[in-house]
Amino acid sequence: MLNKFLSLKVVIILCVFSFSNEANAQLGFCTGSSGDPIFSEDFGTGTINSVLPEGTTTYYYTDGFPDDGFYTLGNGSFGNGFDWHQVEDHTPNDTDGKFLMVNAGFSAGEFYRTTITGLCEATTYEFSAWLLNLVKIPGFCHDLGIEIPFDVRFQIWDSTDTNLLASGDTGDVYGAADPTWEQYGLVFQTLAGQDEVILKMINNGDGGCGNDLAIDDIELKTCGDIVVVTDEVDNTSADICNSDTPFSLTLTATPDYAVFTSHFYQWQESNDGVTWTDIAGETNQTLVASVTASSFYRTKIAEIATNLNNDQCLLFSDVFEITVNANPDAPTSSGDMPFICNTSEAQLSVTVPSNIEVNWYDNAVAGNLLQANSLNYTATALGTYYAEAVDTLTGCVSTSRTAVIALSAVPEPPISNGDEDFNCNFNEATLSVSAPAGVTVNWYDN
Protein backbone atom coordinates (compact mmCIF):
# COMPACT_ATOMS: atom_id res chain seq x y z
CA MET A 1 0.00 0.00 0.00
CA LEU A 2 1.26 3.44 -0.85
CA ASN A 3 1.58 5.94 1.96
CA LYS A 4 -1.70 7.84 2.02
CA PHE A 5 0.10 11.16 1.67
CA LEU A 6 1.43 10.36 -1.83
CA SER A 7 -0.08 12.06 -4.83
CA LEU A 8 -3.54 10.78 -5.67
CA LYS A 9 -2.62 11.02 -9.38
CA VAL A 10 0.17 8.48 -8.95
CA VAL A 11 -2.08 6.18 -6.95
CA ILE A 12 -4.78 6.18 -9.62
CA ILE A 13 -2.28 5.26 -12.34
CA LEU A 14 -1.08 2.30 -10.29
CA CYS A 15 -4.48 1.04 -9.18
CA VAL A 16 -6.09 -0.57 -12.20
CA PHE A 17 -7.95 -3.72 -11.19
CA SER A 18 -11.08 -5.77 -11.66
CA PHE A 19 -13.31 -7.55 -9.14
CA SER A 20 -13.92 -11.29 -9.36
CA ASN A 21 -14.61 -14.05 -6.83
CA GLU A 22 -14.89 -16.92 -9.28
CA ALA A 23 -11.37 -18.22 -8.56
CA ASN A 24 -12.31 -19.13 -4.98
CA ALA A 25 -13.73 -22.38 -6.29
CA GLN A 26 -10.22 -23.59 -7.10
CA LEU A 27 -9.34 -23.80 -3.40
CA GLY A 28 -10.84 -26.22 -0.92
CA PHE A 29 -10.33 -28.16 2.26
CA CYS A 30 -10.09 -31.85 3.01
CA THR A 31 -13.64 -33.22 2.73
CA GLY A 32 -12.77 -36.18 4.94
CA SER A 33 -10.67 -36.40 8.08
CA SER A 34 -7.54 -34.31 8.60
CA GLY A 35 -4.68 -35.62 10.69
CA ASP A 36 -2.39 -33.65 12.99
CA PRO A 37 -0.14 -31.09 11.25
CA ILE A 38 3.09 -32.58 9.92
CA PHE A 39 4.31 -29.09 9.02
CA SER A 40 3.41 -25.88 10.83
CA GLU A 41 4.70 -22.33 10.50
CA ASP A 42 3.45 -19.72 12.99
CA PHE A 43 6.50 -17.42 12.54
CA GLY A 44 7.49 -17.59 16.21
CA THR A 45 7.20 -15.00 18.96
CA GLY A 46 8.99 -11.87 20.08
CA THR A 47 8.77 -8.11 20.23
CA ILE A 48 11.48 -7.36 17.63
CA ASN A 49 10.73 -7.73 13.91
CA SER A 50 12.65 -10.50 12.20
CA VAL A 51 13.61 -11.80 8.76
CA LEU A 52 12.50 -14.94 6.88
CA PRO A 53 15.11 -17.61 6.09
CA GLU A 54 17.02 -17.02 2.88
CA GLY A 55 15.16 -18.24 -0.21
CA THR A 56 11.72 -18.02 1.44
CA THR A 57 10.64 -14.86 -0.38
CA THR A 58 11.48 -12.60 -3.30
CA TYR A 59 10.38 -9.54 -1.30
CA TYR A 60 12.72 -7.21 0.58
CA TYR A 61 12.85 -7.15 4.38
CA THR A 62 12.25 -4.11 6.55
CA ASP A 63 12.38 -3.89 10.33
CA GLY A 64 9.50 -1.40 10.24
CA PHE A 65 6.14 -1.49 8.50
CA PRO A 66 6.68 -2.56 4.88
CA ASP A 67 6.21 -0.35 1.82
CA ASP A 68 5.32 -1.84 -1.59
CA GLY A 69 7.52 -4.85 -2.37
CA PHE A 70 8.63 -5.28 1.25
CA TYR A 71 7.70 -7.58 4.14
CA THR A 72 8.37 -7.98 7.83
CA LEU A 73 7.71 -10.46 10.63
CA GLY A 74 6.17 -8.64 13.56
CA ASN A 75 3.88 -9.22 16.51
CA GLY A 76 1.30 -6.63 15.47
CA SER A 77 0.36 -3.88 13.06
CA PHE A 78 -0.22 -1.34 15.82
CA GLY A 79 1.03 2.17 15.07
CA ASN A 80 1.42 1.61 11.32
CA GLY A 81 1.61 4.67 9.06
CA PHE A 82 -0.91 3.30 6.56
CA ASP A 83 -4.67 2.94 6.74
CA TRP A 84 -4.21 -0.61 8.04
CA HIS A 85 -6.14 -2.45 10.70
CA GLN A 86 -4.26 -2.79 13.96
CA VAL A 87 -4.21 -6.51 14.70
CA GLU A 88 -2.35 -9.25 16.53
CA ASP A 89 -1.32 -12.58 15.05
CA HIS A 90 -3.75 -15.46 14.48
CA THR A 91 -2.04 -18.22 16.51
CA PRO A 92 -4.18 -19.06 19.56
CA ASN A 93 -2.81 -18.79 23.10
CA ASP A 94 0.61 -17.37 22.31
CA THR A 95 2.29 -14.25 23.70
CA ASP A 96 3.83 -11.69 21.33
CA GLY A 97 3.16 -14.06 18.45
CA LYS A 98 4.51 -12.95 15.08
CA PHE A 99 2.93 -13.05 11.63
CA LEU A 100 4.03 -12.21 8.11
CA MET A 101 3.04 -8.73 6.88
CA VAL A 102 3.30 -8.26 3.10
CA ASN A 103 2.90 -5.02 1.14
CA ALA A 104 2.51 -6.25 -2.44
CA GLY A 105 5.03 -5.10 -5.02
CA PHE A 106 3.99 -3.18 -8.12
CA SER A 107 4.34 -6.40 -10.14
CA ALA A 108 2.82 -9.77 -9.35
CA GLY A 109 5.25 -12.30 -7.94
CA GLU A 110 6.11 -14.96 -5.39
CA PHE A 111 6.24 -13.79 -1.78
CA TYR A 112 6.54 -17.08 0.14
CA ARG A 113 7.94 -20.57 -0.49
CA THR A 114 9.08 -23.45 1.66
CA THR A 115 10.18 -27.02 1.04
CA ILE A 116 8.63 -29.85 3.07
CA THR A 117 10.38 -33.22 3.30
CA GLY A 118 9.52 -36.56 4.85
CA LEU A 119 6.16 -36.90 3.11
CA CYS A 120 4.50 -40.18 2.20
CA GLU A 121 4.03 -41.40 -1.33
CA ALA A 122 0.56 -41.62 -2.88
CA THR A 123 -0.91 -39.72 0.07
CA THR A 124 -3.46 -36.92 0.07
CA TYR A 125 -2.59 -33.74 1.96
CA GLU A 126 -4.24 -30.43 2.85
CA PHE A 127 -2.17 -27.24 2.66
CA SER A 128 -3.72 -24.26 4.45
CA ALA A 129 -2.93 -20.77 5.66
CA TRP A 130 -4.72 -17.95 7.49
CA LEU A 131 -4.86 -14.60 5.63
CA LEU A 132 -6.16 -11.18 6.60
CA ASN A 133 -6.65 -8.06 4.47
CA LEU A 134 -4.96 -5.23 6.35
CA VAL A 135 -6.76 -2.42 4.46
CA LYS A 136 -9.21 -0.46 6.60
CA ILE A 137 -12.83 0.27 5.76
CA PRO A 138 -13.55 3.16 5.93
CA GLY A 139 -10.09 4.27 4.89
CA PHE A 140 -8.08 6.20 2.36
CA CYS A 141 -8.06 3.65 -0.51
CA HIS A 142 -11.60 2.46 0.03
CA ASP A 143 -13.14 5.89 0.43
CA LEU A 144 -11.62 7.06 -2.87
CA GLY A 145 -12.80 3.90 -4.64
CA ILE A 146 -9.28 2.87 -5.60
CA GLU A 147 -8.69 -0.06 -3.23
CA ILE A 148 -6.77 -3.00 -4.71
CA PRO A 149 -7.82 -6.35 -3.20
CA PHE A 150 -5.34 -9.09 -2.52
CA ASP A 151 -5.46 -12.23 -4.67
CA VAL A 152 -3.14 -15.03 -3.60
CA ARG A 153 -2.32 -18.17 -5.56
CA PHE A 154 -1.42 -21.34 -3.63
CA GLN A 155 0.78 -23.80 -5.51
CA ILE A 156 2.25 -27.22 -4.74
CA TRP A 157 5.28 -28.28 -6.83
CA ASP A 158 7.38 -31.41 -6.81
CA SER A 159 10.92 -31.29 -5.42
CA THR A 160 12.36 -30.38 -8.84
CA ASP A 161 10.10 -27.31 -9.05
CA THR A 162 9.03 -28.41 -12.54
CA ASN A 163 5.90 -30.50 -11.93
CA LEU A 164 2.87 -28.57 -10.61
CA LEU A 165 0.77 -30.87 -8.40
CA ALA A 166 -2.02 -28.44 -7.44
CA SER A 167 -2.91 -24.77 -7.69
CA GLY A 168 -5.71 -22.48 -6.54
CA ASP A 169 -6.46 -18.78 -6.13
CA THR A 170 -8.19 -16.94 -3.29
CA GLY A 171 -9.78 -14.60 -5.80
CA ASP A 172 -10.13 -10.90 -5.01
CA VAL A 173 -10.40 -10.32 -1.27
CA TYR A 174 -11.27 -6.76 -0.25
CA GLY A 175 -10.84 -5.05 3.08
CA ALA A 176 -13.52 -5.19 5.76
CA ALA A 177 -14.80 -2.95 8.52
CA ASP A 178 -13.77 -5.56 11.07
CA PRO A 179 -10.42 -7.31 10.57
CA THR A 180 -11.07 -11.02 10.11
CA TRP A 181 -8.58 -13.85 9.68
CA GLU A 182 -9.80 -16.28 7.00
CA GLN A 183 -8.40 -19.75 6.34
CA TYR A 184 -7.74 -20.93 2.79
CA GLY A 185 -6.85 -24.50 1.83
CA LEU A 186 -5.60 -26.58 -1.09
CA VAL A 187 -5.75 -30.38 -1.35
CA PHE A 188 -3.20 -32.39 -3.34
CA GLN A 189 -1.78 -35.90 -3.58
CA THR A 190 1.85 -36.94 -3.69
CA LEU A 191 2.99 -39.19 -6.49
CA ALA A 192 4.48 -42.67 -6.21
CA GLY A 193 7.98 -42.43 -4.75
CA GLN A 194 7.54 -38.74 -3.87
CA ASP A 195 8.45 -37.59 -0.35
CA GLU A 196 9.11 -33.86 -0.84
CA VAL A 197 7.14 -30.85 -2.17
CA ILE A 198 7.56 -27.11 -2.52
CA LEU A 199 4.76 -24.90 -1.17
CA LYS A 200 4.37 -21.47 -2.77
CA MET A 201 2.18 -18.41 -2.25
CA ILE A 202 2.14 -15.98 -5.14
CA ASN A 203 0.70 -12.48 -5.37
CA ASN A 204 -1.55 -12.38 -8.45
CA GLY A 205 -2.19 -8.65 -8.30
CA ASP A 206 -0.18 -5.46 -8.51
CA GLY A 207 0.69 -3.24 -5.60
CA GLY A 208 -0.40 0.29 -4.99
CA CYS A 209 -3.31 1.49 -2.90
CA GLY A 210 -4.15 -1.82 -1.21
CA ASN A 211 -3.09 -5.42 -1.80
CA ASP A 212 -1.65 -5.52 1.72
CA LEU A 213 -2.08 -8.67 3.74
CA ALA A 214 -1.12 -10.62 6.83
CA ILE A 215 -0.31 -14.35 6.79
CA ASP A 216 -0.08 -16.79 9.71
CA ASP A 217 -0.36 -20.44 10.73
CA ILE A 218 0.62 -22.23 7.53
CA GLU A 219 0.01 -25.98 7.93
CA LEU A 220 0.23 -29.25 6.05
CA LYS A 221 -1.92 -32.20 7.19
CA THR A 222 -2.75 -35.62 5.88
CA CYS A 223 -6.23 -35.94 4.42
CA GLY A 224 -8.35 -39.07 4.25
CA ASP A 225 -11.73 -40.61 4.84
CA ILE A 226 -13.85 -40.18 7.91
CA VAL A 227 -14.05 -43.69 9.35
CA VAL A 228 -16.74 -44.61 11.87
CA VAL A 229 -16.48 -47.69 14.11
CA THR A 230 -19.75 -49.42 15.04
CA ASP A 231 -20.87 -52.67 16.64
CA GLU A 232 -23.39 -55.21 15.34
CA VAL A 233 -26.37 -52.96 16.15
CA ASP A 234 -24.76 -49.79 14.74
CA ASN A 235 -23.79 -48.29 18.11
CA THR A 236 -20.67 -46.12 18.27
CA SER A 237 -20.04 -46.95 21.96
CA ALA A 238 -21.16 -49.54 24.47
CA ASP A 239 -22.02 -49.59 28.18
CA ILE A 240 -22.07 -52.98 29.87
CA CYS A 241 -22.11 -54.28 33.41
CA ASN A 242 -19.32 -56.14 35.17
CA SER A 243 -21.60 -59.17 35.42
CA ASP A 244 -21.72 -59.26 31.58
CA THR A 245 -17.98 -59.85 31.25
CA PRO A 246 -16.25 -61.38 29.45
CA PHE A 247 -18.21 -59.57 26.75
CA SER A 248 -17.71 -60.20 23.03
CA LEU A 249 -18.69 -57.88 20.20
CA THR A 250 -17.79 -57.37 16.56
CA LEU A 251 -16.56 -53.91 15.53
CA THR A 252 -16.65 -52.69 11.94
CA ALA A 253 -14.76 -49.74 10.45
CA THR A 254 -16.82 -47.94 7.79
CA PRO A 255 -15.05 -45.30 5.63
CA ASP A 256 -17.01 -42.63 3.76
CA TYR A 257 -14.83 -42.84 0.60
CA ALA A 258 -14.49 -39.05 0.58
CA VAL A 259 -10.79 -39.34 -0.33
CA PHE A 260 -9.46 -42.91 -0.37
CA THR A 261 -10.22 -45.44 -3.06
CA SER A 262 -8.69 -48.34 -1.11
CA HIS A 263 -8.27 -49.00 2.61
CA PHE A 264 -5.75 -50.87 4.76
CA TYR A 265 -6.29 -51.33 8.48
CA GLN A 266 -4.43 -51.94 11.73
CA TRP A 267 -6.62 -52.14 14.84
CA GLN A 268 -5.48 -50.71 18.15
CA GLU A 269 -6.68 -50.92 21.75
CA SER A 270 -6.19 -48.76 24.83
CA ASN A 271 -7.24 -48.86 28.47
CA ASP A 272 -7.21 -45.07 28.89
CA GLY A 273 -7.84 -43.62 25.42
CA VAL A 274 -4.36 -42.05 25.45
CA THR A 275 -1.78 -44.81 25.05
CA TRP A 276 -2.55 -47.13 22.13
CA THR A 277 -1.20 -50.56 21.23
CA ASP A 278 -1.47 -52.37 17.90
CA ILE A 279 -3.44 -55.63 18.12
CA ALA A 280 -1.28 -58.28 16.47
CA GLY A 281 -2.78 -59.73 13.32
CA GLU A 282 -5.91 -57.56 13.35
CA THR A 283 -5.69 -55.97 9.90
CA ASN A 284 -9.20 -56.59 8.57
CA GLN A 285 -12.11 -54.19 8.35
CA THR A 286 -13.75 -55.95 11.32
CA LEU A 287 -12.49 -56.83 14.79
CA VAL A 288 -13.94 -59.34 17.25
CA ALA A 289 -13.18 -57.91 20.69
CA SER A 290 -13.46 -59.78 24.00
CA VAL A 291 -13.82 -57.28 26.83
CA THR A 292 -13.19 -57.80 30.54
CA ALA A 293 -12.64 -54.17 31.56
CA SER A 294 -13.33 -50.68 30.21
CA SER A 295 -11.52 -50.35 26.87
CA PHE A 296 -11.08 -48.18 23.79
CA TYR A 297 -10.73 -49.39 20.20
CA ARG A 298 -9.79 -47.66 16.94
CA THR A 299 -8.04 -48.52 13.71
CA LYS A 300 -5.30 -46.96 11.65
CA ILE A 301 -6.27 -46.42 8.00
CA ALA A 302 -4.01 -45.90 5.01
CA GLU A 303 -4.61 -45.88 1.28
CA ILE A 304 -1.59 -48.08 0.61
CA ALA A 305 -0.38 -50.83 2.96
CA THR A 306 3.18 -49.53 3.45
CA ASN A 307 1.84 -46.25 4.86
CA LEU A 308 0.53 -48.09 7.95
CA ASN A 309 4.12 -48.21 9.21
CA ASN A 310 4.42 -44.42 9.46
CA ASP A 311 2.07 -42.39 11.66
CA GLN A 312 2.56 -39.38 9.36
CA CYS A 313 1.17 -41.35 6.43
CA LEU A 314 -2.11 -42.53 7.93
CA LEU A 315 -5.28 -41.50 9.68
CA PHE A 316 -7.22 -42.85 12.63
CA SER A 317 -10.84 -43.89 12.82
CA ASP A 318 -13.29 -42.62 15.38
CA VAL A 319 -12.82 -44.24 18.78
CA PHE A 320 -15.22 -46.93 20.02
CA GLU A 321 -15.40 -46.79 23.82
CA ILE A 322 -16.62 -49.72 25.91
CA THR A 323 -17.45 -48.82 29.51
CA VAL A 324 -17.72 -51.64 32.06
CA ASN A 325 -19.87 -50.49 34.98
CA ALA A 326 -19.89 -52.00 38.46
CA ASN A 327 -22.96 -53.90 39.63
CA PRO A 328 -24.56 -52.31 42.70
CA ASP A 329 -24.62 -54.14 46.03
CA ALA A 330 -27.83 -55.90 46.96
CA PRO A 331 -30.21 -53.84 49.16
CA THR A 332 -29.84 -53.90 52.95
CA SER A 333 -32.84 -55.40 54.74
CA SER A 334 -34.59 -53.38 57.43
CA GLY A 335 -35.49 -56.71 59.04
CA ASP A 336 -38.12 -59.42 58.75
CA MET A 337 -41.57 -58.14 59.64
CA PRO A 338 -44.62 -59.78 61.26
CA PHE A 339 -47.71 -60.46 59.21
CA ILE A 340 -50.52 -58.57 60.92
CA CYS A 341 -53.65 -60.68 60.90
CA ASN A 342 -56.00 -57.78 61.49
CA THR A 343 -54.82 -56.03 58.29
CA SER A 344 -53.67 -59.18 56.46
CA GLU A 345 -50.35 -57.58 55.48
CA ALA A 346 -46.72 -57.09 56.41
CA GLN A 347 -44.74 -53.92 55.65
CA LEU A 348 -41.31 -54.90 54.31
CA SER A 349 -38.50 -52.41 53.54
CA VAL A 350 -34.85 -52.15 52.50
CA THR A 351 -32.28 -49.35 52.17
CA VAL A 352 -29.94 -48.50 49.25
CA PRO A 353 -27.54 -45.65 48.34
CA SER A 354 -28.60 -42.71 46.16
CA ASN A 355 -29.15 -43.35 42.43
CA ILE A 356 -30.23 -46.91 43.20
CA GLU A 357 -33.77 -48.21 42.66
CA VAL A 358 -35.30 -51.34 44.19
CA ASN A 359 -37.47 -53.97 42.49
CA TRP A 360 -39.29 -56.72 44.47
CA TYR A 361 -39.60 -60.34 43.30
CA ASP A 362 -41.14 -63.57 44.56
CA ASN A 363 -38.00 -65.62 43.95
CA ALA A 364 -34.24 -65.33 44.57
CA VAL A 365 -33.59 -65.84 40.84
CA ALA A 366 -35.86 -64.87 37.94
CA GLY A 367 -39.43 -65.09 39.29
CA ASN A 368 -42.21 -62.53 38.97
CA LEU A 369 -41.76 -58.80 39.39
CA LEU A 370 -44.04 -57.80 42.26
CA GLN A 371 -43.25 -54.09 42.53
CA ALA A 372 -40.81 -51.75 40.78
CA ASN A 373 -38.87 -48.76 42.04
CA SER A 374 -39.84 -48.84 45.71
CA LEU A 375 -37.92 -49.22 48.96
CA ASN A 376 -41.05 -50.71 50.54
CA TYR A 377 -43.27 -53.64 49.72
CA THR A 378 -46.62 -54.58 51.29
CA ALA A 379 -46.81 -58.35 51.51
CA THR A 380 -50.33 -59.76 51.54
CA ALA A 381 -49.29 -63.30 52.40
CA LEU A 382 -46.78 -65.02 54.63
CA GLY A 383 -43.50 -65.86 52.91
CA THR A 384 -40.08 -64.69 51.72
CA TYR A 385 -39.74 -61.78 49.30
CA TYR A 386 -36.65 -60.63 47.40
CA ALA A 387 -35.35 -57.10 46.77
CA GLU A 388 -33.03 -56.37 43.80
CA ALA A 389 -30.93 -53.18 43.38
CA VAL A 390 -30.81 -51.34 40.03
CA ASP A 391 -28.31 -48.52 39.27
CA THR A 392 -30.38 -45.76 37.60
CA LEU A 393 -27.29 -44.33 35.86
CA THR A 394 -25.97 -47.51 34.28
CA GLY A 395 -28.91 -49.92 34.40
CA CYS A 396 -26.73 -52.53 36.12
CA VAL A 397 -28.45 -54.76 38.69
CA SER A 398 -27.17 -56.46 41.82
CA THR A 399 -25.87 -59.97 41.27
CA SER A 400 -27.97 -61.22 44.19
CA ARG A 401 -31.28 -60.33 45.85
CA THR A 402 -31.95 -59.63 49.49
CA ALA A 403 -34.48 -61.91 51.21
CA VAL A 404 -37.02 -60.24 53.50
CA ILE A 405 -39.58 -62.43 55.34
CA ALA A 406 -43.19 -61.71 56.22
CA LEU A 407 -43.39 -63.62 59.55
CA SER A 408 -46.47 -65.12 61.11
CA ALA A 409 -47.75 -62.92 63.95
CA VAL A 410 -48.84 -66.12 65.85
CA PRO A 411 -45.71 -67.90 67.07
CA GLU A 412 -45.33 -71.64 66.94
CA PRO A 413 -46.01 -73.45 70.26
CA PRO A 414 -43.00 -73.85 72.54
CA ILE A 415 -41.16 -77.16 72.36
CA SER A 416 -40.89 -79.11 75.59
CA ASN A 417 -37.42 -79.91 76.82
CA GLY A 418 -38.84 -83.09 78.43
CA ASP A 419 -40.81 -84.17 81.47
CA GLU A 420 -39.15 -83.74 84.90
CA ASP A 421 -39.53 -85.74 88.15
CA PHE A 422 -41.18 -84.03 91.08
CA ASN A 423 -38.66 -83.58 93.89
CA CYS A 424 -40.43 -84.48 97.10
CA ASN A 425 -37.67 -83.04 99.29
CA PHE A 426 -38.04 -79.61 97.74
CA ASN A 427 -41.68 -80.11 96.87
CA GLU A 428 -41.09 -78.88 93.25
CA ALA A 429 -40.19 -79.78 89.67
CA THR A 430 -38.35 -77.45 87.20
CA LEU A 431 -39.94 -77.54 83.74
CA SER A 432 -38.52 -75.85 80.57
CA VAL A 433 -39.38 -75.32 76.91
CA SER A 434 -37.59 -73.89 73.85
CA ALA A 435 -38.95 -70.95 71.80
CA PRO A 436 -37.59 -68.73 68.99
CA ALA A 437 -35.75 -65.56 69.92
CA GLY A 438 -38.07 -62.68 70.65
CA VAL A 439 -40.92 -64.98 71.80
CA THR A 440 -42.15 -64.71 75.42
CA VAL A 441 -43.45 -67.88 77.08
CA ASN A 442 -46.28 -67.75 79.62
CA TRP A 443 -47.17 -70.72 81.83
CA TYR A 444 -50.69 -71.82 82.73
CA ASP A 445 -52.23 -74.58 84.86
CA ASN A 446 -54.90 -75.38 82.32
Side-chain angles (χ1 to χ4, degrees):
M1 175 180 182
L2 290 174
N3 190 295
K4 63 182 178 181
F5 300 110
L6 292 179
S7 166
L8 177 59
K9 180 178 179 181
V10 175
V11 173
I12 292 174
I13 292 173
L14 295 175
C15 294
V16 178
F17 61 93
S18 62
F19 176 78
S20 171
N21 282 318
E22 294 179 0
N24 277 306
Q26 294 175 280
L27 296 178
F29 294 97
C30 177
T31 56
S33 174
S34 296
D36 293 330
I38 62 172
F39 168 83
S40 181
E41 176 60 85
D42 63 7
F43 300 108
T45 60
T47 57
I48 300 175
N49 289 11
S50 55
V51 63
L52 288 169
E54 186 176 354
T56 304
T57 184
T58 60
Y59 277 50
Y60 298 104
Y61 169 74
T62 178
D63 60 2
F65 292 106
D67 282 315
D68 296 87
F70 284 78
Y71 80 93
T72 196
L73 295 179
N75 67 348
S77 57
F78 301 96
N80 68 81
F82 311 111
D83 263 348
W84 284 1
H85 289 296
Q86 302 191 70
V87 296
E88 296 179 335
D89 75 327
H90 171 266
T91 309
N93 304 318
D94 64 353
T95 301
D96 293 325
K98 294 183 179 182
F99 60 96
L100 176 60
M101 284 177 275
V102 177
N103 193 328
F106 293 120
S107 299
E110 179 182 302
F111 57 78
Y112 181 86
R113 77 155 57 194
T114 188
T115 299
I116 299 178
T117 60
L119 301 183
C120 307
E121 63 175 323
T123 300
T124 302
Y125 290 95
E126 175 192 271
F127 165 49
S128 66
W130 289 84
L131 277 58
L132 179 146
N133 194 323
L134 290 168
V135 176
K136 270 187 178 181
I137 293 179
F140 179 73
C141 299
H142 175 267
D143 294 349
L144 293 178
I146 56 174
E147 177 196 353
I148 301 175
F150 76 69
D151 180 7
V152 177
R153 175 168 296 168
F154 291 2
Q155 290 184 338
I156 313 294
W157 293 81
D158 70 354
S159 59
T160 67
D161 202 10
T162 58
N163 184 16
L164 180 63
L165 303 179
S167 178
D169 300 324
T170 65
D172 292 339
V173 179
Y174 285 84
D178 295 317
T180 303
W181 287 96
E182 296 287 349
Q183 189 182 30
Y184 298 88
L186 181 65
V187 176
F188 69 97
Q189 186 176 53
T190 53
L191 305 176
Q194 185 176 59
D195 62 359
E196 180 177 315
V197 295
I198 301 171
L199 308 181
K200 297 182 183 181
M201 284 188 280
I202 298 169
N203 172 32
N204 284 332
D206 297 330
C209 201
N211 200 358
D212 308 315
L213 67 153
I215 303 168
D216 203 5
D217 293 323
I218 302 170
E219 291 183 336
L220 189 71
K221 302 178 180 179
T222 53
C223 173
D225 291 349
I226 296 173
V227 180
V228 179
V229 177
T230 55
D231 62 12
E232 301 94 330
V233 291
D234 213 28
N235 290 323
T236 56
S237 63
D239 280 85
I240 62 174
C241 303
N242 189 60
S243 56
D244 297 327
T245 60
F247 182 78
S248 180
L249 75 171
T250 300
L251 302 179
T252 301
T254 304
D256 64 358
Y257 287 88
V259 178
F260 290 173
T261 56
S262 59
H263 302 84
F264 294 87
Y265 302 93
Q266 172 59 64
W267 286 91
Q268 294 184 309
E269 62 183 345
S270 171
N271 58 14
D272 59 6
V274 177
T275 302
W276 293 87
T277 303
D278 288 352
I279 306 174
E282 295 297 345
T283 57
N284 295 319
Q285 189 175 0
T286 59
L287 168 73
V288 178
S290 181
V291 179
T292 58
S294 293
S295 306
F296 301 82
Y297 292 90
R298 71 180 184 185
T299 181
K300 301 174 181 177
I301 311 101
E303 196 166 12
I304 60 175
T306 55
N307 281 350
L308 286 173
N309 300 321
N310 186 339
D311 283 350
Q312 290 191 342
C313 305
L314 52 82
L315 294 168
F316 295 97
S317 69
D318 291 345
V319 173
F320 191 100
E321 180 179 359
I322 303 174
T323 303
V324 179
N325 299 293
N327 295 86
D329 294 331
T332 300
S333 173
S334 299
D336 299 334
M337 300 301 292
F339 188 84
I340 308 302
C341 295
N342 292 340
T343 60
S344 297
E345 62 183 32
Q347 297 295 329
L348 311 180
S349 65
V350 293
T351 58
V352 290
S354 59
N355 299 321
I356 302 295
E357 292 181 352
V358 174
N359 295 329
W360 294 85
Y361 290 86
D362 60 3
N363 205 340
V365 179
N368 298 306
L369 175 64
L370 302 175
Q371 185 167 330
N373 190 22
S374 176
L375 296 176
N376 306 298
Y377 178 67
T378 301
T380 58
L382 294 173
T384 304
Y385 299 87
Y386 301 89
E388 179 181 84
V390 181
D391 190 319
T392 58
L393 300 178
T394 66
C396 295
V397 301
S398 55
T399 55
S400 64
R401 295 172 180 170
T402 298
V404 186
I405 302 173
L407 298 168
S408 173
V410 179
E412 296 293 326
I415 299 174
S416 172
N417 291 328
D419 297 334
E420 296 289 342
D421 294 331
F422 188 83
N423 189 323
C424 296
N425 294 330
F426 295 103
N427 199 32
E428 65 182 21
T430 302
L431 309 179
S432 66
V433 294
S434 297
V439 174
T440 300
V441 176
N442 297 323
W443 294 82
Y444 297 91
D445 60 0
N446 198 351

